[in-house]
Amino acid sequence: HNQHLTKAFDRLMMQSALHTIRRHATAISRGNNALKTLSTFCNQSTQLRGLSTQTDDTFYSDGSLLGDLCPQKLVVKNEPLDALRAPREPSRTSLLMELTDRVGELHDVLKFFWKYDANITRIESRPSKLGKFDFFVDLEGSVGDENVDLVLANLKEFGVQKLLILDHKEVDWFPRHISELDLIANNTLDAGSDLEADHPGFHDPAYRQRRETLAKLSLSHKWNEPIPSVEFTQEEIHCWTAVWDKMEPMLEKYACKEYLQALDLMKKHCDYNRDTIPQQKDISNFLKSRTSFRMRPVAGLLSSRNFLNGLAFRTFFCTQYIRHHSSPLYTPEPDICHELLGHAPMFANRDFCDFSQEIGLASLGASDEEIDKLARCYWFSVEFGLCRDGDNDQIKAYGAGLLSSFGELEYACGELNDGVEIPKIEPWDPYRASMQDFPITTYQPLYFLADSLQDAKIKMREYCEDLKRPFFAQYNFQTQTAFIDRPVKRRDITAV
């Protein structure tokens, strides 16, 4: 049965792909409108990714067709595509069909979808009863659309006995386009200037006023605007210098090679040095040119759901304030030393970016339970992950919580002095990490060690595929949209 399903579906998708290519290739010579048409096809080609119909390099990993014809920034009506607002969500229809287990049965049914240009986004099967199988099919369009109605009419005429139109599953709100990050970026758990009583800057009114000024800059930022530059004070620069001077020799000794390579590049291109705090705008532009990742200023901490949702769009929510100058080597919260020294260089590595985005895509529409599991995976990898050095098999750090903390970096990777409790190190296992609790105010008693960043990414992808997800999401680089493979109804955003 599975062989028949695979062969029939592959044949149909190959026919559909060739049909679409011929149809859109004709339009390429029609002036500016060709770009609109090609952009539409790029979105469709994303859905074909991973199928055995891909027999050559025509379909690239970002969903584009023939890279020179689908540049990263398409131009529509002389306007960059990433300056446009979110596209309207496509309507979807979910069907349940019962078919007999007969050779050619599935092929005979699927040909109606191809004939009437009904784009299938998902198909699953499961045994129903003796000699019968249920097929769940999602397609673009709604009942009332001519092509959808023709498909339904032909399926009934063909003799499909059980043919049901299913209701849409309701899920927690999630962004569908990068512009919708504007709707969650300001939902901070604290307001940037709100400090706990034990914060070193709690009794410093000037510091609190500075935090409030920086928070307002972040709160007014929009997704398609340049990140505003910040004129840092001498006090803030001195604080940065103290952290840089303490961390630089430690990073040379204990950071993974991917981090060190990226840091060298950022010294050249982003003004990373001990005497200047780099600007998020310069870092974001550099990362976009290398890995299509970007920084997004934020006033304070976000919920796990909102923060992880940003990663799905290759966006890292980044604070703009710095720790109090009285304690330059201590901070009770993430600040720009943590963000820019710990996180930012790793986003210049494509494997690490893909790894982070896997977690983000899995978070879209996920249940609260699954969000908690993904947040633990993020903590034990992106924040406190270790990996082996491929050259000498030494243990190195790639997690930002380690790369921005001189004490814990040496604790996790260095030679321990007598009397210091040895941390436990286990092989990287997302299934284990997702169930592991962790402290936030002390050194970690447990770290996870990946063989490489590639190994970490592959295992995380396998874990995400096994999650109980309401849909499977992919990111379309051209439209900056999350494509989902089945129709769902988003709950009201006020519940987020």
Side-chain angles (χ1 to χ4, degrees), residues 76-91:
V76 181
K77 293 184 178 178
N78 299 319
E79 210 175 348
L81 189 64
D82 63 2
L84 303 178
R85 297 301 295 175
R88 205 169 103 185
E89 293 185 20
S91 57

Side-chain angles (χ1 to χ4, degrees), residues 21-35 37-38 65-66 69:
I21 291 170
R22 293 191 192 102
R23 189 154 43 87
H24 289 291
T26 307
I28 291 176
S29 62
R30 295 177 184 167
N32 292 334
N33 288 335
L35 286 173
T37 305
L38 198 54
L65 166 71
L66 303 177
L69 296 178

Side-chain angles (χ1 to χ4, degrees), residues 114-165:
W114 171 69
K115 179 178 180 180
Y116 297 109
D117 204 18
N119 192 34
I120 294 176
T121 60
R122 177 182 72 112
I123 181 168
E124 294 180 8
S125 67
R126 64 185 65 167
S128 173
K129 49 191 176 184
L130 187 63
K132 304 270 186 166
F133 281 85
D134 282 341
F135 284 86
F136 297 85
V137 179
D138 292 341
L139 65 151
E140 292 183 355
S142 303
V143 175
D145 294 347
E146 182 180 5
N147 63 332
V148 175
D149 288 348
L150 285 170
V151 169
L152 294 174
N154 277 265
L155 290 174
K156 292 176 182 177
E157 186 178 338
F158 179 77
V160 176
Q161 295 180 355
K162 184 169 73 174
L163 180 61
L164 302 177
I165 300 173

